[in-house]
Amino acid sequence: MLLLLSACFYSGKQQATYTIKPKGNDARTQAIGFINQLAVQNALTKDPQYNGFDTLGFYGKPYHYFKFWFEQHDTTLALKMDYSGSFGSRKNKPYKDFFIALNTFIEENFIIIEQHIQEENNLKKGKNNHP
């Protein structure tokens, strides 16, 4: 029974690192503002453990967690994200629009030096599912 139920629900992890250069304004402030706005739009709850730090954490329903932090290098900034989630619909991947909006924002507002996204999930591989 448990195996049958787990086949219906999505679970996954995603780790992303965007090495970026600002096009003008402060990249860190701009990214933090957008991530907070995106969290509100997706009804995410802010994790209070990171208050006062340069790290953002958010809970999504039912069991989804986002963590963002920054690493400053000489002239570039690395924006890092860890996501883990369970109990979403396999048919409609949880937070798909969130990830699309984040990628679009980064592409439009920064010069991307390097981008690395690693995803693991239990989606079935098919004609329309790409790794």
Side-chain angles (χ1 to χ4, degrees):
M1 177 81 161
L2 185 59
L3 184 59
L4 181 61
L5 282 175
S6 67
C8 298
F9 292 106
Y10 167 88
S11 65
K13 295 179 181 188
Q14 182 172 327
Q15 296 176 326
T17 300
Y18 302 91
T19 304
I20 56 177
K21 277 187 165 185
K23 286 184 177 177
N25 296 336
D26 178 33
R28 186 182 311 238
T29 302
Q30 194 176 3
I32 288 171
F34 183 78
I35 291 166
N36 280 316
Q37 176 186 349
L38 202 53
V40 169
Q41 290 172 355
N42 285 274
L44 300 177
T45 303
K46 194 164 190 164
D47 185 347
Q49 81 172 341
Y50 296 115
N51 288 347
F53 294 97
D54 215 9
T55 300
L56 302 170
F58 300 97
Y59 298 101
K61 294 184 180 181
Y63 299 104
H64 300 271
Y65 192 78
F66 296 85
K67 180 181 173 184
F68 297 89
W69 70 99
F70 302 88
E71 292 178 3
Q72 183 70 50
H73 303 286
D74 293 331
T75 59
T76 63
L77 179 70
L79 167 58
K80 297 192 171 200
M81 180 198 72
D82 274 345
Y83 161 79
S84 61
S86 299
F87 299 111
S89 166
R90 288 181 90 178
K91 198 171 193 178
N92 298 314
K93 184 177 167 185
Y95 300 104
K96 180 179 180 179
D97 292 339
F98 181 99
F99 295 118
I100 291 170
L102 179 64
N103 284 328
T104 301
F105 168 78
I106 290 171
E107 289 171 359
E108 291 176 353
N109 292 283
F110 303 105
I111 299 165
I112 300 173
I113 307 301
E114 187 177 345
Q115 177 177 324
H116 179 72
I117 299 173
Q118 182 179 352
E119 183 176 2
E120 297 175 25
N121 61 51
N122 67 344
L123 288 176
K124 290 182 180 176
K125 303 293 185 233
K127 287 186 222 176
N128 297 327
N129 293 332
H130 301 286

